[in-house]
Each structure stands twice: as C-alpha cells, then as structure tokens.
Amino acid sequence: MSNTNSLLTIKDLHASVEEKQIIKGLDLDIKPGEVHAIMGPNGAGKSTLGYVLSGRDSYSVDSGSVTLDGEDLLEMETEDRARAGLFLAFQYPVEIPGVSNLEFLKASVDAQRQARGEEAITSADFLKEAKAACKQVNLPVAFLKRGVNEGFSGGEKKRNELMQMLLLKPKLCILDETDSGLDIDALQIVAEGVNSQRSADRSFIVVTHYQRLLDYIKPDFVHVLSDGKIVKSGDASLALELEAQGYSWLQKEPVEDELEG
Amino acid sequence: MTEQIDKALAREYEAGFVSDVESETFEPGLDENVIRRISEMKGEPEWMLEWRLSAFREWLEMEEPEWALVDYPKIDFQSISYYSAPKSMKDKPKSLDEVDPELLRTYEKLGIPLIEQQMLAGIAVDAVFDSVSVVTTFREKLEEAGVIFCPISEALHKYPDLVKKYIGSVVPKKDNYYAALNCAVFTDGSFVYIPKGTRCPMELSTYFRINEQNTGQFERTLIIADEGSHVSYLEGCTAPQRDENQLHAAVVELVAMDNAEIKYSTVQNWYPGDENGKGGIYNFVTKRGICHTNAKISWTQVETGSSVTWKYPSCILKGDNSVGEFYSVALTRGRQQADTGTKMIHIGKNTKSTIISKGISAGRSNNSYRGLVRMNPGAEGARNFTQCDSLLIGDQCGAHTFPYVESRNPSAIIEHEATTSKVSDEQMFLCRQRGLDPEKAVSMIVNGFCKEVFKELPMEFAVEAGKLLEISLEGSVG
Ligand SMILES: Nc1ncnc2c1ncn2[C@@H]1O[C@H](COP(=O)(O)OP(=O)(O)OP(=O)(O)O)[C@@H](O)[C@H]1O
Ligand SMILES: [Mg+2]
C-alpha cells in the first residue's frame, strides 16, 4: 500500500473508555496538506477519536495502529505527540484559573521548541507573535493577560483554541467542533484562520455538524463517522448530501446488542 | 495518578546537605542550669535570665496542646540539645573575612551569598546558623538611615531598653506551650528597629539554617516599626535531611506604632521528612503583631517544608483604622501535616482584615486552615474578608477548613468564602496536549491557584516561591 508519504495512518483502530468500546474498527489515511472533514451523529465517537489520537489518559486503545509521519503514535506520551506536531482544538475548552493565556502559551511554545532542540523564544518576540495571533482571531490583546479560558464566552474559547493553533504551528490539526457556538462573523474568522494555515505540510481533521463551515473551508474529503466506524467517505459534495438527508440512510439497523453489552 | 504521586515523594530535597563545621553543642537535656548556661554564653543582663527562668517555670506547669489536626509522637524535651554554635563563632568575627569559609559556603550553596558584592542589591541578610547569628550584611548602610538590624543577642547588649520594653509585649511568656519554651531557651534571631518616619531603604531578611543533629532551634525575632515608618522583612529556612525529627519553636513579635507598616514574608522550606514520614522538622511557631492607630501589618507565607506545621501568624488590631492581612500558601505532600491559619483580633474602630489562604495537598498529606476572626465590642465598623481555597492533587490527601468567628459588635461585617477544587484530568490533558510535561503542568496550575498570594511577595521572592513550588511538586502527578 502507499502509506509511505502519509502524515497520519490509522488502521483498524479499536478504542474504549471506561471499559466501553467507542471506536470499533476505524481506518483513515491523511496525506500532508489535506483537509478531512468528519461528520456524524452525536455520540458517534468523533471527540473520542481526537482524544485517542492525542493520548488522553483514560482512553485506551484495544487494537489497531496509528502512525504519524511513519512513527508509532500510540507508543508516545501525550506531550510527545503534541511535540511531534499533533494539535487538538477542544470541543469544550477547559479553564485554568490564575494562569495567564500568555504564560500558558509561551510555556507550550517553549516546551515544543525545546523538544526540537531550539532555544526558548524571547518574551518580546513571543509577545509580538501572540498579539498578531490575537488580531487574526479577533480577540482583544487583553485576552493574553486573562486566565486560560477563565470566564471566556463560548465563542471566545473557540477562538482562543484557534489562536493556540496559530502559535504552535502544528503538522496535524484536529479541530473538534471549533465552529459550534460561533456567531456568523466568528465563523468566518475561524474559517479564514484555518485557511491561512493551509499549506503543503499541514493537514487538518475538521469535525463539524454543519456543512456551512465547509463552504468556507473546502475539504478534500468528507467522512461520516457512525457508531465508531467510518461508514461513508466522499468529496465535499457528501456534506451537501448529508445536509439534505441526515444520517439515517447510512446507519445500520438499530443496534440491539448494545444493552446486553 | 496516585502511583506517580508516590514516586514524587522520592524527590530530592535540595537543601538537605550537612555542613562540616565544628560545633560546640550542649549535651541534650533541659533544666534551669541549661538556661543559665545559655544566658551566660550570650553574656545576657540579669533581668533577661530572670525572664527566661520565670518562663521556664510557667512552661513546666503547662500542657502540650492537642487541638490541632496533626499527629506526631510525644516530644522528649530531655533528648534535645538546646544550644549549638560553630566553634569558629566563639570569638566573634568582626568582619566577613574572619567568618569560617565553610559557613559562607553553606549559605552560598543555599543560594544566599553573604558577600555583599554578590548579593541581590537591596536586601540585607541576617544569617542564623543553629543557635547563633553568623553575619548580618549591609549594616553600615542601614545605620545611616538609623535602622537597627542585628542579632537579638547583640541587641540585648546595645539596646537593652528597647528589647526589655517590647520583648513579650505581643506574645506573653505563657501565651502557649511552645512560646513559653521559646522564652526560656531562645538562642538567637533578628532584632529590627525602624525609627520614626523612616522608610527602611532595603528589604531585611533572616535566613535560618539548622545544621547540627539532635538540636532544637528556638529563635526569636522582634521588629519594631516606630510611628510612620515602613519595613519589609523576609525570612527563609532550611535544614539537612535527617532521620530524626527536629524541633523548631520560634516566636516572632511585631510592633507597628501609629501609621507604621510592616510587611513580613516567610518562605518556609524546612526538611519535610521522607516519603514514609520519617524525619523532618516540627515547626511550632508563634507569630503575632500589634497594630496601633492607622498601622498595617501584612503576613505573607509560603509554607512548603516541615513534617508538622503548627502556625498562626496573627494581628491584634488595637488602634482605630488599623489593617491586618494574611496571605498564605501551604503545600503539603508525602506525609506532611500542616495546621495553619491566622487570628485577626479587631479591637479598634473601623479596623480591617483580609485573609487569603491557599492550601494545596498532594500525596497522603493533611492540610488544615484554622482561622479566628474576633470582633470586640468596641470594633465599631470593623470588616473582615476571608477566602480559603483548597486544591487537591490525587485522592489520598486531605484538606480541612476550621473558621472560627466571634462577633460582639453588630456593626462589624464578616465575609467568608471557601472553595475546594482538584487539579482536574481535563486541565492536565490540556497542558500536556500543548506539549508541557506533567510536572510543568501541575506546577503551572498550582502557581495559578496561588497567584493572589504570590503577588503579595516582594518581587525577587515571588519568583523564588514559584520555583520552590515547582521543585516541591516534582513528579507529583501523571
Ligand atoms: N468517560 C466516558 N465514560 C463513558 N462513556 C463515555 C465517556 N466518554 C465518552 N463516552 C461515550 O462515548 C460515546 C462517544 O462520545 P464522543 O464524545 O466521542 O461523541 P461525539 O461523536 O463527539 O458526539 P458529539 O457530536 O455530541 O460531540 C458517547 O456515547 C459517550 O457517551
Ligand atoms: Mg464531540
């Protein structure tokens, strides 16, 4: 097979949380520069996939393999995956009271630079970059001084996630419903932010419920994730089809064995 | 997470080394004779000896307090040595060149160079090693401003009237068991006097170091800020890593005259004992200040060391419009136990107090806040605001809050807020997903939690305190 130049390759992945199997045999191959949209009903396992790929503690892989740039991703610690260029924009960003956004971001950037054997960025340089990133996502510069997500509105949190992405310059960006809860202007800002970062060596997984986002961010592929598996893949037109018809035509018969375990 | 917390307990205590200094140490034991000998070594005036002896007689009648939420074996006061001093200090060195280089090296290793050129500009240090003060820096510069900063043993010779007038005036001899013991056997500590209307030109700081085995450290600090004066004072402390517990029972008295302000900051890092609770310092300390009219006393403490801490820096707000503040970070891990807080006694009209307490518990430690706010009948229009926050790391530790409120004036306003939170999995995951290792993540989250207190510390020490927390938390999560 031709995985040699893939950025991310997921093969027959099975994963569970709290003993409950959520990802049930998932395959996905992403080449550098590609944008893959993942859609699918609530509870399908979209966020879980993001957590499993980034190595969240309570999520365990039962079988299958994942490589990032040819390296075994599943063997790596959470922070090493981040340092290898994997970024997750959270569906529900968490607050860290008292830790300023600026401090948090600089520490993150420095941790990643250090892992690459680079010097820490000077505070002056970083401040310049951070201010520019604020501007790009249309957050007032004062947000750099505030505690991470502390008291941010839903939409502000999402834009803050995007700002982090702009500063960390990852290779693989997983955006988990970064468009949910955004007003129309913010949606456009986020889309522009993503588009500005599209390049031949950066790939995206965009999880969304709304085809509207995909009008702005043109995906190379659209996948439907349902009950822990990708049940359908296609090009951008698949999103339109889903918008019109919903998911029911793709789903299997109601799963009877669920309750029995 | 728990497994990694346990691993963390094996962390190194950086200040745990022993200095090879030849010492003159009393054989263990405590009786009137020992007290006479201490007084004689120090060449004290007769009244001081009498004062010590009367405190000792009171102490013999007193009982060790048991109300604190701490658990430790009964202390055998006869097995402790009450005096230890480096031999080289016997004929008092007149300048730094005459001080034993090994002593200077000890402080240097602890990050406190005593050579003035190497020091942080703007901070004068009194270095106390076991029972004696080794050196006090920048004295001339302070003298120019009329500020007295010297070992209390020296103050007894040079300024006996000042000492006599104020010692025991804030913490009475029989205030409590450990305070009474301190009165009987205290060996050294710092004395500060800031004259009227003077702003002390530099930060004053005392660095306490226990070195000798089986000794107790009983230091005594007395700070007098005369009318309209201002001083900022910092104390730090460390001890070698030893298997036996050692007792530290200090007394600190602050006097803030009319319109004066005293800012007293502590970064306490005594040896906390090993992962099984073996060894470590028992830190039983009495700290209290009195505020006259319009005066202000502010206590800021960062407590990370000691196996058992029992400590309640307090303010007696005697004068009208006086202000008391208490900002505290207490971090316990391993088997450490801390029972700490404050007392704010409002006597004067329109007196104000603020209490911000941040307790962080990790490992199998126990961390209690215990605070008293008392509004006396005359405390018309007095106000208190208390905020107690606890942060738990892991699920084997404990956090407790014991607020006591006594209000005898209906016009007084008392507000109390308390929260308990955990370093959450989500927060840890967010940090690690951005590339931070778990240690850095925890220390960052904890530092954020402590921010309100750290911003009260003098700048240089806020950075130190942050680093200390980082070291203390090394490996404490996964
Ligand atoms: N910690 C957990 N314990 C038990 N079940 C969990 C846990 N985390 C997730 N699940 C379950 O896993 C399933 C997939 O959740 P996930 O959050 O991945 O869905 P999603 O596709 O992102 O849904 P949405 O579109 O609503 O965001 C859900 O049924 C959810 O209840
Ligand atoms: Mg989701």
Side-chain angles (χ1 to χ4, degrees):
Chain A
M1 299 219 299
S2 61
N3 290 338
T4 40
N5 57 354
S6 293
L7 177 64
L8 181 79
T9 305
I10 306 175
K11 281 190 187 150
D12 198 24
L13 183 67
H14 289 75
S16 43
V17 53
E18 314 266 320
E19 314 275 295
K20 188 179 168 213
Q21 210 189 93
I22 310 287
I23 304 294
K24 303 172 180 173
L26 188 144
D27 294 274
L28 189 63
D29 192 75
I30 297 181
K31 303 252 185 311
E34 288 177 354
V35 175
H36 290 240
I38 295 187
M39 305 182 80
N42 295 135
K46 303 182 295 296
S47 295
T48 302
L49 178 63
Y51 292 150
V52 170
L53 293 178
S54 38
R56 185 164 179 174
D57 266 351
S58 40
Y59 290 73
S60 57
V61 172
D62 306 317
S63 64
S65 71
V66 182
T67 59
L68 181 74
D69 254 348
E71 304 247 2
D72 185 349
L73 190 72
L74 303 178
E75 277 296 301
M76 299 183 191
E77 293 289 347
T78 310
E79 56 273 23
D80 293 329
R81 298 181 194 196
R83 293 165 186 170
L86 185 149
F87 177 89
L88 174 66
F90 289 78
Q91 183 176 1
Y92 304 110
V94 61
E95 301 189 359
I96 310 182
V99 178
S100 79
N101 236 343
L102 191 69
E103 181 187 353
F104 174 71
L105 283 168
K106 180 156 189 321
S108 306
V109 166
D110 281 343
Q112 299 208 10
R113 289 171 72 105
Q114 201 185 2
R116 293 193 296 265
E118 295 168 21
E119 298 263 300
I121 187 168
T122 67
S123 298
D125 286 349
F126 185 70
L127 191 61
K128 230 188 327 185
E129 283 190 30
K131 280 183 176 168
C134 268
K135 198 162 169 214
Q136 202 176 342
V137 300
N138 201 24
L139 280 179
V141 171
F143 274 68
L144 292 172
K145 287 249 168 86
R146 286 174 60 176
V148 177
N149 293 321
E150 207 180 347
F152 289 18
S153 77
E156 287 165 352
K157 284 182 182 170
K158 294 298 176 75
R159 279 183 276 160
N160 199 37
E161 293 294 290
L162 194 71
M163 177 169 75
Q164 297 174 32
M165 183 189 92
L166 296 178
L167 289 169
L168 289 167
K169 305 182 182 74
K171 269 190 222 158
L172 175 65
C173 311
I174 306 171
L175 307 180
D176 192 355
E177 296 199 25
T178 306
D179 57 330
S180 302
L182 292 180
D183 62 43
I184 298 162
D185 291 342
L187 182 71
Q188 207 158 347
I189 288 163
V190 165
E192 278 165 17
V194 170
N195 286 332
S196 76
Q197 297 302 298
R198 286 180 80 155
S199 76
D201 50 10
R202 182 170 294 127
S203 311
F204 292 83
I205 296 177
V206 179
V207 175
T208 182
H209 286 296
Y210 307 107
Q211 117 80 21
R212 198 182 45 192
L213 177 72
L214 306 179
D215 285 341
Y216 296 109
I217 305 173
K218 288 267 173 281
D220 299 300
F221 299 93
V222 174
H223 308 279
V224 178
L225 183 64
S226 176
D227 192 24
K229 281 201 261 304
I230 287 176
V231 293
K232 179 123 184 117
S233 297
D235 60 16
S237 66
L238 177 56
L240 289 166
E241 219 170 318
L242 293 167
E243 181 97 330
Q245 302 190 38
Y247 296 114
S248 48
W249 60 285
L250 289 169
Q251 279 164 321
K252 294 183 298 186
E253 295 303 297
V255 241
E256 294 283 349
D257 56 357
E258 191 82 326
L259 280 178
E260 284 110 75
Chain B
M1 215 141 108
T2 321
E3 187 189 309
Q4 260 140 331
I5 291 167
D6 287 342
K7 213 165 68 191
L9 308 173
R11 96 206 154 80
E12 292 241 7
Y13 174 72
E14 292 195 339
F17 63 90
V18 181
S19 303
D20 186 14
V21 170
E22 221 186 320
S23 285
E24 180 166 5
T25 305
F26 283 11
E27 61 287 0
L30 180 59
D31 55 22
E32 292 202 0
N33 220 6
V34 167
I35 293 165
R36 284 176 204 283
R37 275 173 68 202
I38 292 173
S39 190
E40 198 185 307
M41 296 287 290
K42 304 259 169 200
E44 285 176 352
E46 185 62 26
W47 63 265
M48 193 69 242
L49 174 63
E50 286 311 318
W51 194 81
R52 285 175 179 275
L53 289 172
S54 79
F56 180 63
R57 286 164 203 149
E58 309 256 25
W59 179 74
L60 287 173
E61 304 294 316
M62 293 168 85
E63 302 260 340
E64 216 174 324
E66 279 173 359
W67 43 263
L69 196 67
V70 292
D71 184 26
Y72 58 94
K74 268 232 158 324
I75 297 171
D76 177 5
F77 291 94
Q78 295 305 331
S79 70
I80 298 172
S81 163
Y82 289 82
Y83 185 88
S84 176
K87 275 212 173 116
S88 61
M89 291 302 296
K90 203 158 181 195
D91 337 282
K92 288 229 167 75
K94 298 201 179 38
S95 72
L96 265 178
D97 316 336
E98 293 176 30
V99 174
D100 180 354
E102 185 60 33
L103 285 174
L104 296 180
R105 261 199 297 281
T106 300
Y107 286 91
E108 214 173 286
K109 254 165 109 172
L110 295 167
I112 332 269
L114 297 175
I115 314 291
E116 292 186 1
Q117 292 79 2
Q118 298 174 4
M119 293 186 54
L120 285 170
I123 302 167
V125 179
D126 183 19
V128 176
F129 192 87
D130 288 332
S131 306
V132 293
S133 168
V134 179
V135 67
T136 311
T137 62
F138 287 118
R139 285 172 74 158
E140 281 100 56
K141 186 156 181 218
L142 291 168
E143 272 161 28
E144 276 169 35
V147 170
I148 302 170
F149 179 40
C150 69
I152 199 161
S153 54
E154 188 182 320
L156 271 165
H157 293 278
K158 288 197 181 157
Y159 318 100
D161 296 342
L162 272 177
V163 178
K164 193 170 179 182
K165 182 166 173 196
Y166 290 107
I167 195 167
S169 71
V170 188
V171 178
K173 270 184 290 188
K174 54 175 183 177
D175 184 81
N176 69 71
Y177 190 76
Y178 304 110
L181 178 64
N182 175 286
C183 290
V185 302
F186 79 87
T187 43
D188 222 331
S190 300
F191 177 81
V192 175
Y193 174 79
I194 316 289
K196 271 185 198 168
T198 303
R199 209 183 159 87
C200 185
M202 50 200 339
E203 300 269 347
L204 304 183
S205 117
T206 302
Y207 197 89
F208 296 102
R209 173 75 179 169
I210 298 180
N211 189 57
E212 199 56 38
Q213 209 157 357
N214 297 324
T215 55
Q217 195 178 47
F218 305 93
E219 88 268 359
R220 190 148 190 126
T221 297
L222 177 57
I223 299 177
I224 303 148
D226 214 329
E227 289 173 22
S229 69
H230 179 284
V231 62
S232 169
Y233 179 94
L234 182 116
E235 64 170 0
C237 19
T238 57
Q241 201 158 334
R242 296 191 190 282
D243 286 349
E244 312 80 35
N245 294 105
Q246 279 177 289
L247 177 62
H248 170 253
V251 171
V252 175
E253 295 178 282
L254 310 184
V255 180
M257 307 299 276
D258 293 355
N259 301 304
E261 184 175 339
I262 302 176
K263 186 172 173 58
Y264 192 106
S265 316
T266 304
V267 175
Q268 187 264 105
N269 186 24
W270 294 118
Y271 177 54
D274 72 6
E275 67 266 38
N276 299 315
K278 198 167 167 121
I281 304 291
Y282 294 154
N283 190 33
F284 300 149
V285 173
T286 306
K287 291 183 165 169
R288 194 174 304 154
I290 186 162
C291 283
H292 294 278
T293 307
N294 290 322
K296 176 175 171 185
I297 289 179
S298 176
W299 298 101
T300 306
Q301 58 173 27
V302 177
E303 305 271 319
T304 63
S306 300
S307 63
V308 181
T309 296
W310 180 99
K311 178 182 169 190
Y312 316 90
S314 305
C315 297
I316 301 169
L317 303 172
K318 184 164 174 247
D320 292 350
N321 308 312
S322 58
V323 176
E325 295 174 339
F326 175 73
Y327 299 100
S328 170
V329 166
L331 175 124
T332 54
R333 61 196 182 279
R335 302 267 181 170
Q336 278 179 287
Q337 308 173 64
D339 194 299
T340 182
T342 183
K343 284 189 262 184
M344 294 291 175
I345 312 296
H346 293 252
I347 299 170
K349 292 192 187 67
N350 298 316
T351 45
K352 258 203 246 143
S353 63
T354 304
I355 300 171
I356 309 280
S357 162
K358 304 275 179 177
I360 303 133
S361 333
R364 276 175 263 187
S365 67
N366 250 310
N367 201 326
S368 306
Y369 166 81
R370 189 182 301 276
L372 167 69
V373 176
R374 179 187 292 153
M375 302 295 185
N376 276 16
E380 206 62 39
R383 292 197 71 143
N384 161 265
F385 173 74
T386 299
Q387 185 184 324
C388 282
D389 298 323
S390 308
L391 184 71
L392 303 172
I393 303 174
D395 48 15
Q396 290 183 295
C397 50
H400 317 271
T401 310
F402 304 100
Y404 305 90
V405 172
E406 295 171 13
S407 186
R408 300 201 204 109
N409 187 311
S411 73
I413 300 172
I414 299 173
E415 288 174 88
H416 182 96
E417 288 175 10
T419 66
T420 300
S421 52
K422 286 191 119 187
V423 172
S424 72
D425 286 351
E426 280 101 340
Q427 289 171 331
M428 286 299 289
F429 177 54
L430 166 61
C431 292
R432 295 179 67 190
Q433 207 304 303
R434 297 303 184 247
L436 300 172
D437 55 44
E439 273 90 22
K440 177 72 189 166
V442 178
S443 83
M444 196 151 86
I445 295 167
V446 170
N447 265 294
F449 174 76
C450 300
K451 192 169 231 166
E452 283 161 283
V453 174
F454 283 176
K455 74 176 202 299
E456 296 299 326
L457 285 170
M459 247 258 277
E460 301 84 343
F461 302 113
V463 177
E464 279 303 300
K467 276 196 216 136
L468 183 59
L469 278 196
E470 203 159 320
I471 295 166
S472 301
L473 283 163
E474 227 147 74
S476 59
V477 243

